[in-house]
Amino acid sequence: MNSGPEPARALDAGGVGAVLSDCIEAAEWLPSLHSRAEHVAAASQMIEAGWVQVVRRSDRIAGFVARDESELHCLYVTPCLQGQGVGTDLLDQAKSASTTLHIWTYVRNDAAQRFFRVHGFRDSKDRRYSGNDAGLPELRLEWKRTR
């Protein structure tokens, strides 16, 4: 069964954590700083906070977005399903719930920057930031509803 974005349930933490782990492992340039168990624990905390929306494909979590107000904490799609509209569905849902969105993305993550720019995000005044766990420079992108 395929679905549009829906709120994550507590039992989705394992699936959300797996998507996060798979995406980090697929990014060869990104250091893996946390275990799969730690990713599940982080997913559980975001779900409990009410931030997470998921998209399912064949009853498995295909991708998720974590949003707190206007801040997108993350948007990940399992690597084998990228480019199939899952990320767009998640982002469209987040846009429908907010008039402004912000996200930090790694400077080296060209694919994420392309994705967000195609969907109307622009560079914000906060150009670079390196106070993250990975110690990598980041770029802050923002989107504002125009109508």
Side-chain angles (χ1 to χ4, degrees):
M1 176 182 164
N2 295 342
S3 71
E6 61 186 48
R9 304 179 301 250
L11 291 175
D12 290 331
V16 169
V19 170
L20 177 57
S21 293
D22 292 346
C23 290
I24 290 171
E25 288 171 10
E28 296 172 3
W29 53 268
L30 184 59
S32 181
L33 302 173
H34 303 284
S35 69
R36 284 186 169 262
E38 289 170 319
H39 290 155
V40 172
S44 181
Q45 290 174 343
M46 291 187 295
I47 291 168
E48 187 174 314
W51 296 352
V52 180
Q53 295 278 320
V54 298
V55 167
R56 299 175 198 282
R57 295 290 184 263
S58 303
D59 293 326
R60 298 187 68 176
I61 295 180
F64 73 96
V65 64
R67 180 185 62 83
D68 179 22
E69 303 291 331
S70 66
E71 191 69 29
L72 292 177
H73 290 277
C74 55
L75 189 156
Y76 287 101
V77 175
T78 195
C80 67
L81 295 175
Q82 291 176 3
Q84 297 182 30
V86 174
T88 298
D89 290 348
L90 289 162
L91 189 55
D92 286 348
Q93 187 283 329
K95 285 178 168 182
S96 74
S98 185
T99 58
T100 304
L101 295 171
H102 300 92
I103 190 164
W104 289 102
T105 186
Y106 293 113
V107 169
R108 289 195 60 188
N109 195 343
D110 294 329
Q113 289 178 47
R114 273 191 309 274
F115 172 79
F116 286 110
R117 286 189 174 114
V118 162
H119 292 281
F121 282 71
R122 301 291 175 246
D123 290 2
S124 76
K125 62 182 177 185
D126 301 320
R127 298 282 301 162
R128 303 214 186 238
Y129 176 76
S130 59
N132 55 64
D133 289 350
L136 298 174
E138 290 181 298
L139 173 68
R140 188 162 169 85
L141 301 172
E142 66 181 4
W143 168 86
K144 292 181 182 180
R145 184 176 297 143
T146 56
R147 336 175 202 158

